[in-house]
Amino acid sequence: MAASEAASVSVPRHVAIIMDGNGRWAAARGRPRAFGHRAGVEAVRRTVRAAGELGITHLTLFGFSTENWRRPAEEIDALFDLLRRFVDADLDRLESEGVRVRIIGRRDNLSPDLRAIVERAEARTASNEDFTLTIAFNYGSRDEIVRAARALAERVRQGEIAPEDIDAERFACHLDTVGLPDPDLVIRTSGERRTSNFLLWQSAYAEFVFLDVFWPDFSREHLEGALAEFAGRERRYGGVKLHGTA
């Protein structure tokens, strides 16, 4: 997926999006929540295409959280079915366009067919380097951090490393996102102003943009607006800007 020649140097390398508002979008139209999720998949397709054209190289989308298991069974089944359909319908195109697909989140409690779909999408696109699409599915950041801590604790117990060997870099290597750059920009749709257990470790220095648009209506123009807001911000990573310096 080639980046636009007009892409600005201020375009973030990695954008993460909390896709929120499918259910409310559907309810406003008198339709079931599953209808909103189907419309949300079309917004995913638009956003993946626009992100690549705008010069973004990594896009992470929050598709299904570990807390979403509390939703009605029929809605969960519909969400899982959409993942199946998305992979079946889009994998050939994504592969041919140089998109690498990664799925982060727990897999131990997914059905065998869903695990097979996830593994197939990752295996077929593993060698692509133009653009990385990461889908957070059955993902929760606290769960991810706990799993990383357990993995490190087991390595200490086995005598592979000492406790003092554990630092931020080694910890990050045990997260689901190992190998991915931290997000520069996190966008949330639907007007909500919270992170909802999404990339808590990785977004420590990310910029946040909250948009009053439901995810099914999210467009290239909304993405461009978020990028323009990002470009106008000053990122200091905990430092200060001295007077008279660039």
Side-chain angles (χ1 to χ4, degrees):
M1 181 177 293
S4 169
E5 293 180 1
S8 167
V9 293
S10 62
V11 169
R13 180 184 182 192
H14 184 178
V15 174
I17 304 179
I18 302 172
M19 306 179 294
D20 194 19
N22 291 346
R24 281 169 284 170
W25 183 89
R29 290 158 176 75
R31 304 296 296 271
R33 292 177 65 86
F35 178 75
H37 294 313
R38 288 194 296 272
V41 171
E42 292 305 316
V44 168
R45 293 187 174 111
R46 291 194 301 269
T47 303
V48 171
R49 185 179 306 110
E53 292 171 351
L54 291 168
I56 297 163
T57 59
H58 294 74
L59 177 67
T60 297
L61 303 176
F62 200 6
F64 184 85
S65 78
T66 50
E67 289 74 31
N68 286 157
W69 290 101
R70 303 170 188 166
R71 295 187 177 187
E74 60 270 20
E75 182 177 355
I76 293 172
D77 289 343
L79 284 166
F80 287 0
D81 187 56
L82 283 174
L83 177 64
R84 295 184 183 95
R85 290 169 181 258
F86 178 76
V87 171
D88 287 342
D90 291 67
L91 188 56
D92 286 344
R93 177 180 57 80
L94 294 172
E95 182 181 16
S96 67
E97 292 180 353
V99 177
R100 181 184 182 189
V101 177
R102 286 187 58 170
I103 314 292
I104 60 172
R106 292 184 59 178
R107 302 186 186 186
D108 58 332
N109 58 346
L110 295 180
S111 64
D113 71 308
L114 274 177
R115 286 200 301 271
I117 288 171
V118 166
E119 291 166 2
R120 174 162 57 93
E122 291 185 325
R124 281 187 49 186
T125 62
S127 61
N128 288 344
E129 299 179 349
D130 293 344
F131 184 93
T132 298
L133 170 63
T134 302
I135 300 174
F137 191 83
N138 197 24
Y139 172 87
S141 191
R142 287 181 173 180
D143 174 75
E144 174 191 32
I145 291 170
V146 167
R147 287 187 283 109
R150 286 175 178 165
L152 283 165
E154 179 61 22
R155 293 189 65 190
V156 170
R157 190 176 74 86
Q158 295 291 339
E160 297 177 14
I161 59 174
E164 57 268 24
D165 293 332
I166 299 173
D167 57 14
E169 183 177 357
R170 189 181 293 271
F171 191 89
C173 289
H174 287 76
L175 295 173
D176 295 351
T177 51
V178 59
L180 294 175
D182 287 342
D184 304 292
L185 170 64
V186 178
I187 301 169
R188 180 169 186 151
T189 60
S190 87
E192 303 291 349
R193 266 69 172 170
R194 57 181 179 271
T195 60
S196 293
N197 198 20
F198 181 55
L199 299 181
L200 300 179
W201 175 281
Q202 299 87 340
S203 62
Y205 285 100
E207 298 293 325
F208 284 78
V209 171
F210 300 100
L211 298 177
D212 293 320
V213 58
F214 292 140
W215 176 248
D217 289 328
F218 189 81
S219 66
R220 180 191 177 105
E221 288 69 31
H222 292 109
L223 180 58
E224 289 177 336
L227 296 185
E229 185 170 341
F230 172 85
R233 295 187 184 178
E234 183 182 316
R235 306 182 75 201
R236 295 188 296 273
Y237 299 96
V240 294
K241 181 178 179 181
L242 301 178
H243 293 294
T245 62

